[in-house]
Amino acid sequence: MIEIIPTKDGSHTLRNTLLNETYHSIYGAIQESTHVFINNGLEYCVHSGNKKALTILEVGFGTGLNAFLTLRKSIELNIEVEYISIEPFPVSEAIWKELNYAQGAEDKQRFIQLHQSPWNILTEINSHFHLQKIDKPILQVALPKLKFDLVYFDAFAPEKQPDMWTIQVYQHLVDAMKPGGILITYCAKGQVKRDLKSIGLQVEALPGPPGKREMTRAMKPA
Ligand SMILES: C[S@@+](CC[C@H](N)C(=O)[O-])C[C@H]1O[C@@H](n2cnc3c(N)ncnc32)[C@H](O)[C@@H]1O
């Protein structure tokens, strides 16, 4: 079962009661997504590569929060984003309609568009943002090779869903990344970093969001 719970920054997250696992940090869902995926992923990628257009792969669409924050940032940075997001267990409309991420009419409309866009079809949300949501498990998706500048790896924690944190999954993602592409995750587990290094990535530990000491950024050699 899925339930909505508040986090410490006031933004909602979801709890999967079977796994007893939340979709975001309980210290702040928006705070965590912004720190990990937007600031250390998207902004880093855009500024270090001086990019005007970006392809992003997300593992775990979930609430749509990362997609929503990326859409907003793409407008602010005046860049074009193609965003492919994988989610085998879509959140129901009854749940996503209650989430409090969007403020104001324009934002609310954008959030609804992200959720109502059709599955498995690349769809224009606006001139800055194209979205394709895919409703299959990541290993069942035939990802295009060498396509992505950035991967948001936002699976449930290794303790809760160990089959997502395997070399087979990492290699599947790396094959889909461009040389110089970045994989970003909130997870800072030693084994995860060692496994990413073992398949040739350059791995950095970065300060985590409030409540978490570290997070991980990994680059595929150019
Ligand atoms: C930590 S939550 C995602 C949070 C999401 N990015 C958000 O902002 O709400 C992990 C997500 O991974 C999804 N998931 C579970 N198994 C998966 C699989 N095999 N492939 C891709 N996603 C999976 C879950 O359903 C869940 O939505």
Side-chain angles (χ1 to χ4, degrees):
M1 219 192 85
I2 302 285
E3 63 184 21
I4 299 181
I5 58 168
T7 66
K8 284 192 180 158
D9 69 359
S11 59
H12 286 150
T13 192
L14 301 180
R15 188 202 304 277
N16 177 317
T17 54
L18 276 183
L19 292 177
N20 188 25
E21 172 75 337
T22 56
Y23 281 47
H24 307 95
S25 160
I26 52 160
Y27 291 96
I30 289 187
Q31 184 173 253
E32 178 188 48
S33 286
T34 303
H35 177 87
V36 174
F37 297 104
I38 304 302
N39 297 349
N40 285 309
L42 179 62
E43 294 237 37
Y44 173 81
C45 216
V46 168
H47 294 132
S48 64
N50 205 13
K51 289 187 197 302
K52 282 276 157 211
L54 219 65
T55 41
I56 301 179
L57 172 68
E58 176 177 44
V59 180
F61 182 76
T63 61
L65 177 58
N66 290 337
F68 175 63
L69 294 175
T70 302
L71 164 55
R72 279 217 303 225
K73 190 54 90 174
S74 69
I75 297 168
E76 185 190 317
L77 296 176
N78 193 23
I79 56 170
E80 278 177 36
V81 171
E82 183 181 329
Y83 196 98
I84 312 295
S85 190
I86 313 296
E87 180 53 72
F89 308 108
V91 170
S92 70
E93 180 168 345
I95 296 272
W96 64 253
K97 273 205 162 152
E98 298 301 319
L99 295 170
N100 66 356
Y101 301 141
Q103 305 295 329
E106 202 180 7
D107 251 11
K108 284 188 178 144
Q109 192 46 40
R110 287 179 190 144
F111 190 68
I112 291 170
Q113 268 181 287
L114 293 177
H115 278 281
Q116 287 186 337
S117 73
W119 287 87
N120 307 306
I121 298 171
L122 186 65
T123 304
E124 179 173 306
I125 303 295
N126 63 32
S127 60
H128 291 278
F129 199 87
H130 284 71
L131 173 66
Q132 183 173 5
K133 298 179 294 185
I134 300 179
D135 56 0
K136 284 193 235 158
I138 183 67
L139 285 177
Q140 287 178 30
V141 181
L143 295 170
K145 304 281 179 213
L146 306 175
K147 177 175 173 84
F148 295 98
D149 296 291
L150 180 59
V151 174
Y152 293 166
F153 192 56
D154 199 10
F156 287 131
E159 299 73 33
K160 303 291 173 146
Q161 208 185 355
D163 57 315
M164 293 296 286
W165 302 85
T166 63
I167 290 189
Q168 188 190 10
V169 171
Y170 307 147
Q171 192 63 60
H172 188 54
L173 301 176
V174 169
D175 290 346
M177 287 160 66
K178 290 180 185 167
I182 299 288
L183 181 148
I184 198 95
T185 177
Y186 66 86
C187 182
K189 218 177 160 191
Q191 188 60 51
V192 171
K193 287 186 279 190
R194 285 192 290 280
D195 286 346
L196 290 171
K197 272 188 200 152
S198 78
I199 56 166
L201 298 188
Q202 293 159 7
V203 177
E204 262 182 289
L206 301 171
K212 203 141 186 302
R213 205 163 59 84
E214 284 183 346
M215 55 167 282
T216 304
R217 182 163 63 206
M219 191 178 86
K220 179 171 176 173

